[in-house]
Amino acid sequence: HNPWVNFTNVPGSDNRLYTGAMSSYGSSVTMIVPNTCNDMHDCSAATGDEWLARNIPAILNYDASNNGLLILTWDEGEYGGTNHIITILAGPKVRAGLYSQYVTHYDMLKMIETNFGLPLLGQTAGAAGLPAGIIR
C-alpha cells in the first residue's frame, strides 16, 4: 500500500515513518500511508477512525498555517459494481461543497502535477482534472 517503495528514483531515505509532526518532513508533497490495520484494510472502520482522529487534526493545522492541501482517499471501495471510493479535500484553498463530477486518481494526480509545474505522466494527460472552482 506504500507506492514510494516501488520507485527506484526515490531515495530510500525519503520513505520515512510518519511521526505525527508535519513540520519535520520539509517537503512540498508528503504522502502518508497508514498501515493495513489503520487504513481499514485488515481491521475495523473504528480502528481506522481512531487513527484519523489522532492524526488528521495536526495535518489540518499544519496545512492551515502553510497553505497546504490534504487529499484523503481510499484505494478501494465495494467490490464489484462501480467501486466508488471516497476522496476528501481539505485546506485553506479548498472551496467547500459537494461535487458530483466523477473524479479518478488520474484527475488528482493531474491537479498535483499541474500545481507544481510538472510534466503530466501517462494517463494524467487525458484526465479531466478536478471540478472547476474547487481549488481557489
Side-chain angles (χ1 to χ4, degrees):
H1 285 99
N2 182 0
W4 299 114
V5 299
N6 298 316
F7 298 132
T8 58
N9 61 343
V10 175
S13 60
D14 285 348
N15 186 29
R16 296 177 278 166
L17 185 63
Y18 177 65
T19 62
M22 289 299 297
S23 60
S24 68
Y25 290 91
S27 74
S28 297
V29 176
T30 301
M31 181 174 193
I32 300 169
V33 181
N35 65 35
T36 56
C37 188
N38 291 326
D39 74 0
M40 303 178 206
H41 194 273
D42 292 344
C43 295
S44 69
T47 299
D49 287 346
E50 289 172 17
W51 187 92
L52 291 168
R54 273 192 323 273
N55 291 284
I56 295 301
I59 296 168
L60 290 174
N61 287 336
Y62 179 85
D63 286 349
S65 298
N66 293 279
N67 205 25
L69 171 66
L70 170 66
I71 303 171
L72 180 62
T73 193
W74 279 249
D75 66 341
E76 57 195 37
E78 299 173 5
Y79 293 101
T82 57
N83 194 27
H84 289 109
I85 62 169
I86 188 170
T87 296
I88 300 167
L89 304 178
K93 291 183 135 188
V94 177
R95 188 175 315 278
L98 297 175
Y99 298 86
S100 60
Q101 176 182 330
Y102 180 80
V103 175
T104 68
H105 292 318
Y106 296 116
D107 297 318
M108 286 293 164
L109 183 56
K110 184 174 189 173
M111 182 268 302
I112 294 167
E113 291 168 341
T114 301
N115 183 67
F116 287 98
L118 299 170
L120 301 179
L121 299 172
Q123 294 185 42
T124 59
L130 295 183
I134 192 170
I135 303 292
R136 301 175 219 200

